[in-house]
Amino acid sequence: MTRFPPPLTGSAQDETSELRPNFDASGLIAAIAQDAETGEVLMLAWMNSEALRLTLETKRATYWSRSRGALWVKGEMSGHVQEVVEVRVDCDQDAVLLKVLQTGGACHTGRDSCFYRIADPGKLTFED
């Protein structure tokens, strides 16, 4: 299994050209899926080292399910796959942005995006 090198300290992490993901204490990193064509934010999920490695190698979005404690490939069951066009990391490499071509809805509810509600004080308004 490919292992990523540990994060660097200070500004060295911000400027390195090496992929050095900064996983949290649970070994996870936040992963945001964004539609590569429209820029719409589709969902947020979590990745461990293996999920990130598989995503980079296969170009199929692979995540870590915190509730099941297992890897899952987006669309494996539903057919709503995410073909990864590009993977970006933020400045200190503690978040991943996947630019994807989404087939079907990204949300488990069947909606295009998981972000379909608008928060106001004391209530949620549905966008759709």
Side-chain angles (χ1 to χ4, degrees):
M1 170 162 87
T2 303
R3 298 195 52 84
F4 296 104
L8 300 169
T9 57
S11 64
Q13 179 75 355
D14 299 343
E15 300 301 328
T16 185
S17 61
E18 295 177 282
L19 181 56
R20 292 175 169 265
N22 193 359
F23 297 99
D24 69 13
S26 299
L28 301 176
I29 193 168
I32 300 161
Q34 179 185 42
D35 188 294
E37 294 173 342
T38 67
E40 181 179 15
V41 175
L42 302 174
M43 59 180 274
L44 172 107
W46 298 93
M47 292 180 154
N48 64 6
S49 179
E50 182 74 356
L52 180 56
R53 181 186 68 77
L54 287 169
T55 297
L56 290 166
E57 289 177 2
T58 67
K59 301 298 186 196
R60 293 275 314 269
T62 304
Y63 301 104
W64 177 257
S65 170
R66 296 180 299 171
S67 60
R68 292 187 306 269
L71 291 171
W72 59 281
V73 179
K74 181 67 175 168
E76 195 170 49
M77 303 293 274
S78 67
H80 297 181
V81 299
Q82 291 177 343
E83 179 187 337
V84 178
V85 175
E86 183 177 79
V87 178
R88 293 185 178 210
V89 295
D90 72 339
C91 53
D92 56 358
Q93 298 193 46
D94 65 356
V96 176
L97 175 65
L98 305 178
K99 294 191 176 205
V100 303
L101 297 176
Q102 178 72 49
T103 300
C107 185
H108 74 280
T109 66
R111 291 175 171 90
D112 291 342
S113 169
C114 293
F115 298 95
Y116 55 89
R117 295 177 286 188
I118 301 165
D120 289 311
K123 70 175 183 163
L124 294 174
T125 305
F126 285 71
E127 184 177 60
D128 51 67

